[in-house]
Amino acid sequence: MSIVLPDSVTAAEGEGGLPVLRVATALVTGEVYLHGAHVTAWTPAGAEPVLWVSSSARFAAGEAIRGGVPICFPWFGTGREPGLAPPPHGFARLAPWRLVAAEEHDGGAVTLTLELTDADAADVPAAQDWPHAFTATYAVTFGRELTLALTVENTGEGEISFEEALHTYLAVADARTTTVQGLDGATYLDKAAGGGPELVTQRGDVTFTAETDRVYDSTGTAVVVDESGGRRIGIEKEGSANTVVWNPWVDKAAAMPDYGDDEWPSMVCVETANALDAAIALAPGERHTMTARYAVTR
């Protein structure tokens, strides 16, 4: 199917020769790679870039792009089932997604809709270890707000269960002076080095003073307060039971080959997710949508 692109959308060859779609209107600029349906840029007019991408990110088939908004599906981390460890966070972010619609709305926002099926992912490593029929549809709306809506439909004959996350990397001036509001009183699993299996209760705002890797039980809105950068990034969501907060800090950053050793102060991840005990189960023919909306204020 040939998609007619509006004038505000350009199909191009991106980093590493990967196909990319670029959006440019008076309202916003943005970018999404078909590889992994990976959003790598969103900048409302008059604002600084909101999404962070590592200077060491790898743009290549078989590699996950470090930064932007990777899609974690159908498992989160190493997965809940034996044998699902490679690749981390599932195969969707390594798979070739297809553009199925592109629309510019009145007012200058643009929606790009991409699709992935089990057949599309058949040649991706580890996809064979999750042998279920599905269709994933991803609607990305670039505007003054960034709206991401991931819908998964069970197109098979048996029940499927999966985890999912929009692993959003947000650009901040300094993680050490950044806080996350909206999670006070929520319980979380601490997955950082030294964390244990017991749930911990958040007291006050989240701060970053060491490696941070937490899966919160939270359905509400979070706000990233970038004090040094002088802005706030709000994250509203629907269809999500978890909020994940992550920063690798010094040692883990140095251990990742696709992440610059000194880049950790310039980003924080606040992820919209359904993971661990909040995994989604769908009967044949059922579908589930998880939505995240991002907005920048001063």
Side-chain angles (χ1 to χ4, degrees):
M1 178 174 60
S2 177
I3 305 300
V4 177
L5 299 178
D7 292 341
S8 55
V9 180
T10 302
E13 184 178 283
E15 297 286 338
L18 297 176
V20 64
L21 298 166
R22 297 192 172 112
V23 171
T25 74
L27 194 67
V28 65
T29 58
E31 185 177 79
V32 58
Y33 278 77
L34 297 185
H35 176 68
H38 201 122
V39 179
T40 50
W42 168 57
T43 307
E48 294 296 317
V50 183
L51 301 180
W52 177 94
V53 176
S54 174
S55 62
S56 300
R58 297 171 174 174
F59 291 81
E63 298 277 0
I65 301 170
R66 175 69 68 183
V69 189
I71 297 175
C72 304
F73 172 86
W75 58 85
F76 179 80
T78 57
R80 297 169 298 128
E81 303 174 25
L84 294 185
H89 293 314
F91 52 78
R93 62 182 185 158
L94 303 176
W97 292 61
R98 292 173 288 107
L99 180 70
V100 295
E103 179 183 5
E104 182 173 347
H105 307 283
D106 294 340
V110 174
T111 298
L112 302 177
T113 304
L114 298 95
E115 185 176 274
L116 178 73
T117 68
D118 52 291
D120 298 324
D123 294 331
V124 179
Q128 299 85 354
D129 295 332
W130 200 76
H132 303 289
F134 70 92
T135 296
T137 305
Y138 193 41
V140 179
T141 300
F142 295 100
R144 294 298 304 177
E145 296 184 349
L146 173 66
T147 302
L148 308 175
L150 177 63
T151 299
V152 177
E153 180 181 1
N154 180 357
T155 58
E157 298 180 353
E159 181 179 272
I160 63 174
S161 176
F162 60 89
E163 298 171 288
E164 58 184 349
L166 302 174
H167 196 308
T168 308
Y169 290 72
L170 298 170
V172 298
D174 191 338
R176 292 163 293 194
T177 59
T178 297
T179 59
V180 181
Q181 299 177 345
L183 296 170
D184 184 26
T187 58
Y188 65 88
L189 179 66
D190 189 352
K191 298 180 67 181
E198 301 84 8
L199 290 177
V200 181
T201 300
Q202 178 67 39
R203 301 300 183 192
D205 297 341
V206 180
T207 59
F208 298 90
T209 59
E211 179 190 351
T212 303
D213 190 355
R214 301 174 180 176
V215 181
Y216 285 87
D217 291 327
S218 175
T219 60
T221 297
V223 179
V224 175
V225 181
D226 179 7
E227 181 178 339
S228 296
R231 69 177 180 181
R232 299 161 64 92
I233 305 169
I235 306 107
E236 298 181 350
K237 61 179 189 166
E238 300 170 6
S240 162
N242 302 117
T243 295
V244 180
V245 179
W246 183 75
N247 180 282
W249 217 249
V250 178
D251 292 343
K252 193 161 189 176
M256 293 187 289
D258 59 348
Y259 190 113
D261 291 358
D262 299 323
E263 291 184 323
W264 60 267
S266 61
M267 54 69 60
V268 297
C269 282
V270 178
E271 310 168 33
T272 297
N274 290 297
L276 306 175
D277 292 341
I280 301 298
L282 296 179
E286 289 187 334
R287 63 180 62 187
H288 174 270
T289 299
M290 181 177 69
T291 303
R293 284 184 292 274
Y294 307 85
V296 179
T297 60
R298 291 291 177 181

